[in-house]
Amino acid sequence: QITLKESGPTLVKPTQTLTLTCTFSGFSLSTAGVGVGWIRQPPGKALECLALIYWNDDKRYSPSLRSRLTITKDTSKNQVVLTMTNMDPLDTATYYCVHPRGVTCFDSWGQGTLVTVSS
Amino acid sequence: QSALTQPPSASGSPGQSVTISCTGTSSDVGGYDYVSWYQQHPGKAPKLMIFDVSKRPSGVPDRFSGSKSGNTASLTVSGLQAEDEADYYCSSYAGSDILFGGGTKLTVL
């Protein structure tokens, strides 16, 4: 059974850097084909795919947010970390950690963590 | 503005069928057979309901079906039940990116 859980701050100030950690179980990021990603959802709005990282360290980023995002993995700890720089109130959203099914969809989701950007 | 276009709302009575559309371009929906649909109840994480246009993950009722024609994909929910009331999001592979629609709120009357 795959489980994913997000952790990190619930409140960040504008211009600060957000660091979120996804701790997962039920699979290994050292297995060929496996990946972990991050998706966010502003309150009452649609989903947005932010970043994906695969077993071979292949990384994919949202074209519109590429300059602000970094995704890394720690295979030994079963963790994936997402950093987003220069946070803005418009970045207020629930951030989900996800398990991709191949490269085309997401078959397992964490519970999500609400991050509010406010001074 | 989302990359894929969905109607903001849809509705149907219990037992009826309802279809939700998802329109993209030849670079996403029309270019790949990799359309997915997610169901999201209030306060919950999305759940994968359909992948690869028409395939159902284990445990998803066969009342949910997907199809595609050209640049438009569709999700049909047959035999509507009260628990089907939720937001539904389409998604499509687009080469190096995965795009989502704006979501459709399905109301069971």
Side-chain angles (χ1 to χ4, degrees), chain A:
Chain A
Q1 179 190 359
I2 291 174
T3 64
L4 309 108
K5 188 169 184 178
E6 307 86 353
S7 59
T10 58
L11 178 66
V12 297
K13 290 181 168 52
T15 75
Q16 286 187 336
T17 293
L18 171 68
T19 300
L20 293 173
T21 300
C22 174
T23 303
F24 57 86
S25 64
F27 64 94
S28 171
L29 254 181
S30 61
T31 301
V34 174
V36 172
W38 289 92
I39 291 173
R40 72 176 179 179
Q41 184 175 35
K45 296 190 177 180
L47 302 163
E48 179 182 20
C49 187
L50 300 178
L52 298 164
I53 188 167
Y54 291 93
W55 88 103
N56 58 357
D57 214 36
D58 181 23
K59 301 171 186 178
R60 311 288 176 92
Y61 293 104
S62 162
S64 62
L65 294 169
R66 176 184 299 273
S67 64
R68 298 173 53 205
L69 296 172
T70 302
I71 189 168
T72 60
K73 61 182 174 68
D74 186 330
T75 303
S76 64
K77 293 183 179 179
N78 280 356
Q79 290 183 333
V80 168
V81 174
L82 179 76
T83 60
M84 179 180 292
T85 61
N86 195 25
M87 292 293 283
D88 181 272
L90 289 176
D91 295 314
T92 293
T94 295
Y95 287 75
Y96 293 100
C97 179
V98 294
H99 175 268
R101 187 182 187 281
V103 297
T104 61
C105 64
F106 308 102
D107 57 8
S108 294
W109 296 62
Q111 64 188 21
T113 184
L114 176 61
V115 178
T116 302
V117 184
S118 174
S119 55

Side-chain angles (χ1 to χ4, degrees), chain B:
Chain B
Q1 187 172 351
S2 300
L4 307 178
T5 301
Q6 297 180 235
S9 63
S11 63
S13 299
Q16 288 186 333
S17 293
V18 64
T19 297
I20 299 170
S21 63
C22 171
T23 302
T25 70
S26 58
S27 297
D28 38 71
V29 174
Y32 305 92
D33 286 335
Y34 293 136
V35 175
S36 307
W37 290 90
Y38 300 87
Q39 177 192 65
Q40 186 178 34
H41 287 110
K44 299 295 186 181
K47 174 186 176 183
L48 180 66
M49 303 300 283
I50 296 287
F51 67 97
D52 293 355
V53 176
S54 59
K55 297 177 182 176
R56 281 187 308 275
S58 174
V60 173
D62 60 6
R63 302 185 293 104
F64 292 85
S65 61
S67 62
K68 190 186 84 167
S69 178
N71 296 336
T72 298
S74 298
L75 172 72
T76 297
V77 186
S78 305
L80 271 175
Q81 299 182 3
E83 60 262 34
D84 299 333
E85 185 163 295
D87 293 328
Y88 291 84
Y89 292 90
C90 66
S91 174
S92 177
Y93 180 70
S96 59
D97 201 4
I98 294 179
L99 307 176
F100 285 96
T104 298
K105 181 174 182 58
L106 173 60
T107 301
V108 180
L109 302 171

